[in-house]
Amino acid sequence: MELAIATVVALLPIINPFSTAPMFLAITEGDTEAERQEQARKAVIYMICILVAFLIGGSFIMQFFGLSLPGLRIAGGILVAGVGMRMLYPKDEPEQTKAEHQESKRKRDVSFTPLAMPSLAGPGAISVTIGLTSLATNWLHFLAIIAGILLVAVIVYITLRLSTRLVGVLGVNGLHAMTKIMGFLILCVGVQFIVNGIVGVASSPDMIEGILKTLESLKTTQQ
């Protein structure tokens, strides 16, 4: 029980569904209530799968593919920044028939990216989940952590579901304005992800050690 509560306390502030809710409304603009519920449900399921996968085999997955947390931050930042740019400068849609419009709406799925990754199950949440594996010494501990992840998922889903009520309050014009504002903020978040990733790479011990060795070799060559 303590480990499950610790998981909720560690993950919830990082995932922060209250900050994801406005973005969820903005990127699902024009969707019906049922479509928004489906996107929220799928995003939460994807989030659970990602976190549980990294909980069980996070270190192995990152070593196998040669991934690093700064690399995940940079990749996530590029994805988020792209979403922000599309929200700020939406493309003019060509004239479509009703059938073509319905087909394009079926293909537009934002549940995995940017909702599940990197908004909900981003580099921060993944790193915390991998860190929680150090507290698990048997399979009951892993089950407790998974229970904590499921509880966080329930909180996220409820928050996203309740956020759809804002549509009726804001109206169409208010939602358009919020889309522009959130697009700018999401672009800033994406850029910050990239900056954090670059700083992480630049400040890594391997990078510093390589730079020092290069400087030493240059001094030796000059002498």
Side-chain angles (χ1 to χ4, degrees):
M1 182 63 71
E2 291 178 357
L3 196 53
I5 295 173
T7 301
V8 174
V9 172
L11 282 178
L12 196 57
I14 294 176
I15 293 176
N16 194 4
F18 300 104
S19 65
T20 306
M23 185 187 76
F24 170 68
L25 288 178
I27 62 180
T28 57
E29 181 184 7
D31 290 354
T32 64
E33 180 73 15
E35 290 169 339
R36 279 196 169 100
Q37 290 180 14
E38 182 184 2
Q39 294 285 340
R41 178 178 56 81
K42 290 168 64 177
V44 169
I45 293 174
Y46 286 139
M47 182 196 78
I48 294 171
C49 294
I50 293 169
L51 294 182
V52 171
F54 276 95
L55 173 67
I56 296 173
S59 300
F60 173 77
I61 292 172
M62 297 185 71
Q63 290 176 4
F64 181 79
F65 290 101
L67 304 177
S68 65
L69 287 177
L72 288 177
R73 289 191 179 98
I74 294 173
I78 293 172
L79 286 174
V80 173
V83 172
M85 287 295 294
R86 287 195 296 271
M87 291 167 63
L88 276 174
Y89 303 105
K91 294 181 180 180
D92 295 330
E93 294 185 359
E95 291 296 328
Q96 294 179 319
T97 64
K98 186 176 180 181
E100 290 173 337
H101 180 68
Q102 292 298 325
E103 180 66 20
S104 65
K105 285 183 70 64
R106 281 197 293 270
K107 291 181 180 178
R108 189 171 66 88
D109 190 345
V110 297
S111 58
F112 185 79
T113 178
L115 275 181
M117 179 179 281
S119 296
L120 297 175
I126 290 173
S127 61
V128 168
T129 303
I130 294 175
L132 288 170
T133 59
S134 62
L135 302 177
T137 58
N138 55 58
W139 64 273
L140 282 176
H141 290 169
F142 280 98
L143 289 178
I145 296 173
I146 292 173
I149 292 173
L150 292 176
L151 183 56
V152 171
V154 171
I155 296 172
V156 170
Y157 181 69
I158 292 173
T159 304
L160 295 180
R161 282 289 305 274
L162 292 178
S163 67
T164 58
R165 297 185 181 181
L166 288 174
V167 178
V169 177
L170 293 174
V172 176
N173 292 331
L175 196 58
H176 279 304
M178 191 182 72
T179 300
K180 296 291 185 182
I181 295 171
M182 289 308 302
F184 176 73
L185 294 178
I186 291 169
L187 177 60
C188 293
V189 170
V191 172
Q192 189 62 50
F193 276 7
I194 296 172
V195 171
N196 291 343
I198 294 173
V199 170
V201 172
S203 60
S204 65
D206 293 338
M207 177 67 74
I208 295 173
E209 184 179 355
I211 293 173
L212 292 176
K213 286 182 178 179
T214 303
L215 293 175
E216 290 177 359
S217 64
L218 289 174
K219 288 181 181 178
T220 304
T221 303
Q222 290 175 356
Q223 291 175 355

